[in-house]
Amino acid sequence: MKLPVLVAAVTLVVSGAAHAQFQKPEDAVKYRQGAFTVLGAHFSRIGAMVQGRVPFDAKVAQDNAAIVATLSKLPWAGFTPDTEKIKSRTKPEAWMEMDKVRAGADKMMKAVADLEAATRTGNLDAVKKTFGEAAATCKACHDAYRE
Ligand code: HEC
């Protein structure tokens, strides 16, 4: 086997894993919507405790916050420029103001990390406060950039 061929093949596989996440733009849209959907489900479970609809369980809050913190990093990779023309709930404004969308994403990731830290204290007041702050970052971006 010729070595340069092998090297080229390995390089292709490695860079493929890092970059070509989506075969089609439709896949990128599904990916970001899927990430938001699962994130939202776990965020709501904490919300139910914060609002007193279900009893506060520190362990459950912590588990859900850890999932939310991980998922909060995912949707952004799905906002690829080639998805602009594909029907979704992302408003056209988002594509013109992607720097602001990214700034909103950064705020959300920070707020969600703070929420996770608060759940580790087991203190319901701290969870309430940081949940409210995180929810405000969701709302700010949705009001501006989601249909
Ligand atoms: C920086 C912007 C931004 C932030 C922050 C943000 N979202 Fe979203 N979210 C969007 C956009 C844009 C969409 C529409 C996605 C699409 O259809 O292309 C969306 C969609 C969703 C959806 C619906 C998914 C679907 O398929 O209909 C849920 C649920 C959701 N977000 C939950 C959240 C939660 C919970 C937070 C906060 C913890 C949050 N989002 C923070 C921009 C944001």
Side-chain angles (χ1 to χ4, degrees), residues 58 61-62 65-66 69 112-123 127:
Q62 200 178 320
V112 158
D114 290 347
L115 170 63
E116 190 195 1
T119 60
R120 277 190 256 114
T121 69
N123 177 324
V127 173

Side-chain angles (χ1 to χ4, degrees), residues 32-33 36-37 39-40 76 79 88-95 97 101 135 137-147:
R32 70 182 186 232
Q33 291 177 339
F36 276 128
T37 301
L39 180 150
W76 324 116
F79 287 93
S88 77
R89 291 175 69 193
T90 300
K91 281 190 187 169
E93 287 84 339
W95 304 105
E97 298 170 8
V101 176
T137 68
C138 314
K139 186 174 186 306
C141 189
H142 290 165
D143 287 351
Y145 301 115
R146 188 176 76 167
E147 302 285 2

